[in-house]
Amino acid sequence: MAINLLPVDLTPQTSVTRLVFYTKKITTIAFGLFVVSLLASLGYLFVLSSQIQSATAEKESLKASLASLEQTEQSMVLLRDRLTKINSVLSVSDSFDGVSNFGEVQNQATALGITVRDVEMAPGRTEFTILLTDSSLLVNLVASLAQNENYKRIELSSFNFNPTSGYFVTFVLFE
Amino acid sequence: MRPPEEKKKNDLSKADLKALGKALLPLFILVLLGIFVFRNVFTRVSAQKQSLATAKRDVRVLTEKQELLAEISNEAAELVYPLTFALPHENASLMMLSQLKTLSAQSGLFLANMKSGPLIPDAKTGLSRHEIQFDADGDMVGILSFLENLPNAAPISRLETVSVSSAGAASRGEIKLSVFTAPLPKTLPAITEPVRELTDAELETLNQLATLFLPPLLEVEAQGASPRANPFE
């Protein structure tokens, strides 16, 4: 049987010895985990960088093939640019709608035997003067104007009579 | 005062501290090393994952772009052609004056006092506007039909004001309209910028613009060199 000749003060306590034993165990396990995790991380990094390399290579090859389609891309850019700007021009209201709407009114007036003398058009507003020899025709024209859905408001702006020419009637139509 | 036995039990001796230090130091170093290494590894993995996501997105965008461009490569130039007349980058007023003459002849009108105003740029839209004023002599029906046909002619125009007055069968229209120019785009977007397919509304506008009546163009072909005659023979 071995005899411990060391003074009691120089040997660690039993509880401390036990703690040291478990600490060493924990350190060993942690080191193992550290090494395994490090290797796994390095492997994952390697996989990621090889995936990046293959994606970059694919990207470069696509870029090279797109260079041959540059003319088409230019056309596409020009097409989109023109379409955007044309739409912004077309969105501004003008008198073209007024012309086509007034075409109907003019046809109705002609069918009734009424002469359109003057027309003035601005965006959203049409002013026209008619010449009538028979005032009863005015009723028919007003009836057809009232049925026209292109105009939100119709104003009778002036009504003049000249014995030599007839009736001069001015309407203002609002779209 | 604590009794001497209790002190012996609870207090750590030098030997205890030495033993504990020897055991805890490697664990402490390992923890520090772990923090340092895994922080770096985590940063690198995050950066690599981001690079991979960007590269994959670029590949997807480029593939879609290549497919779309290859699909329309034959018809792209044809689609653009009427648009360059509908909204030219220069000379819109000249084109429109030519169109006005053609359309007025079709409606039996005589145009007079044609004036083209200065270029009015609009920084907000990038468009420049020319104002054109002219008088049209003919009959009321002819003037209205001429005005109805104007939206079918390239370049696109906006009718500002119309004033038609008649004296007997003859009518005179004082017409003011605007035509527009816009500079051509100077740069292409980045190659990895996605190309969007045309929407239904854009296709509809495109179909409308494709039916525009284009101004007549005369293409002068280059002539080859001809031998000069000898003036002394």
Side-chain angles (χ1 to χ4, degrees), chain B residues 51-206:
Chain B
S51 303
L52 182 63
T54 311
K56 278 185 173 173
R57 186 187 61 87
D58 288 350
V59 167
R60 183 173 46 78
V61 166
L62 290 173
T63 310
E64 282 172 9
K65 193 170 183 175
Q66 192 198 26
E67 283 170 4
L68 180 68
L69 292 179
E71 195 182 309
I72 60 157
S73 63
N74 294 328
E75 56 187 17
E78 276 176 43
L79 290 172
V80 169
Y81 187 72
L83 297 191
T84 54
F85 287 96
L87 184 63
H89 68 285
E90 58 183 7
N91 293 335
S93 54
L94 273 178
M95 280 188 205
M96 185 42 98
L97 291 177
S98 157
Q99 295 285 58
L100 290 175
K101 287 193 172 172
T102 312
L103 290 171
S104 64
Q106 286 171 6
S107 301
L109 302 179
F110 175 74
L111 299 188
N113 303 327
M114 295 178 96
K115 286 178 211 159
S116 172
L119 201 68
I120 306 163
D122 181 358
K124 197 178 162 191
T125 55
L127 294 159
S128 297
R129 186 168 68 89
H130 283 277
E131 211 166 76
I132 297 175
Q133 287 184 49
F134 59 94
D135 296 343
D137 292 322
D139 60 1
M140 178 74 81
V141 177
I143 292 171
L144 289 176
S145 112
F146 163 75
L147 291 174
E148 277 188 77
N149 284 333
L150 264 182
N152 303 325
I156 52 166
S157 54
R158 301 276 82 191
L159 187 61
E160 304 294 346
T161 54
V162 181
S163 173
V164 188
S165 51
S166 305
S171 298
R172 164 165 280 210
E174 288 171 19
I175 296 153
K176 195 193 278 183
L177 54 87
S178 296
V179 286
F180 301 85
T181 55
L184 296 171
K186 288 185 181 121
T187 48
L188 279 177
I191 196 159
T192 49
E193 197 78 14
V195 175
R196 190 168 53 79
E197 273 189 77
L198 292 172
T199 60
D200 288 344
E202 285 172 330
L203 280 171
E204 199 184 321
T205 312
L206 206 57

